[in-house]
Amino acid sequence: MQERGFTATSVDGICEAAGVTKGSFFHYFESKEELAKAAINHFSNCQMQAFEAGSFHTFVDPLDRLYGYLDFIATSVRNSKVLKSCLIGNLTQELALTSPELRSVCAQNFSWHIAYLQSLIEDAARAHPPRAAVDADSLAHYFFAIVQGSHIFTKATQDTKGMLDNLEHFRRYLQSLFAEKRPQDTFKKTNE
């Protein structure tokens, strides 16, 4: 579903790829929609586990943790083994108007990720009062709009430069907001 989308992914194809019978599939899932819900939740949980295991959590300074989070994403973008796509974003685009239930599951999973980033921004703002008022929830939503839009351009161009540039622009915005002089980030490194 991440590579082909929901509609183009058949139950037969899923069973063939997984090496199971249709009977086995329907023993665990009532429908392809039920599998999609489980896939969305699994995808989201794997991402959250990866973020929670990220080395940026070892940074004492909350602002360093926030920048480390951005660096963590940039490293993933540069990793040629990581699929440059978001299952939640893909399924939201494909199914938001036709499957309210799956749209809701996607929205819930986006909310978890947004809340995670929101907490990093709030911690940084407490430790380093920004030069202007910060709405951490709105800023986290903005960041995820940047990331999801960047995924679309990455698919269209088959090039991660735009995603890395957008991460750098967001980082510079944070640096101006927090009036911090930090070492230049490495988002523009050549793709591996």
Side-chain angles (χ1 to χ4, degrees), residues 78-105:
R78 286 191 300 271
N79 185 340
S80 61
K81 295 178 183 176
V82 174
L83 185 61
K84 306 304 182 269
S85 181
C86 173
L87 176 66
I88 303 167
N90 292 349
L91 294 183
T92 299
Q93 289 175 358
E94 183 180 359
L95 302 170
L97 300 178
T98 58
S99 177
E101 191 172 359
L102 285 176
R103 181 206 51 77
S104 178
V105 172

Side-chain angles (χ1 to χ4, degrees), residues 33-105:
E33 288 78 8
E34 289 300 314
L35 173 65
K37 286 184 212 173
I40 292 165
N41 289 328
H42 178 74
F43 178 85
S44 184
N45 287 337
C46 287
Q47 282 193 320
M48 290 306 295
Q49 287 173 6
F51 286 132
E52 289 170 357
S55 62
F56 60 91
H57 284 289
T58 63
F59 299 149
V60 174
D61 187 313
L63 191 55
D64 288 337
R65 282 197 297 274
L66 179 57
Y67 292 144
Y69 170 84
L70 297 177
D71 293 339
F72 182 87
I73 293 172
T75 298
S76 176
V77 170
R78 286 191 300 271
N79 185 340
S80 61
K81 295 178 183 176
V82 174
L83 185 61
K84 306 304 182 269
S85 181
C86 173
L87 176 66
I88 303 167
N90 292 349
L91 294 183
T92 299
Q93 289 175 358
E94 183 180 359
L95 302 170
L97 300 178
T98 58
S99 177
E101 191 172 359
L102 285 176
R103 181 206 51 77
S104 178
V105 172

Side-chain angles (χ1 to χ4, degrees), residues 120-158:
L120 290 175
I121 294 167
E122 289 170 346
D123 290 347
R126 276 191 292 276
H128 300 272
R131 297 193 311 182
V134 173
D135 180 341
D137 176 61
S138 177
L139 191 54
H141 275 84
Y142 175 63
F143 178 76
F144 275 90
I146 291 169
V147 169
Q148 289 303 316
S150 296
H151 277 304
I152 291 170
F153 284 113
T154 297
K155 282 190 242 179
T157 63
Q158 292 298 293

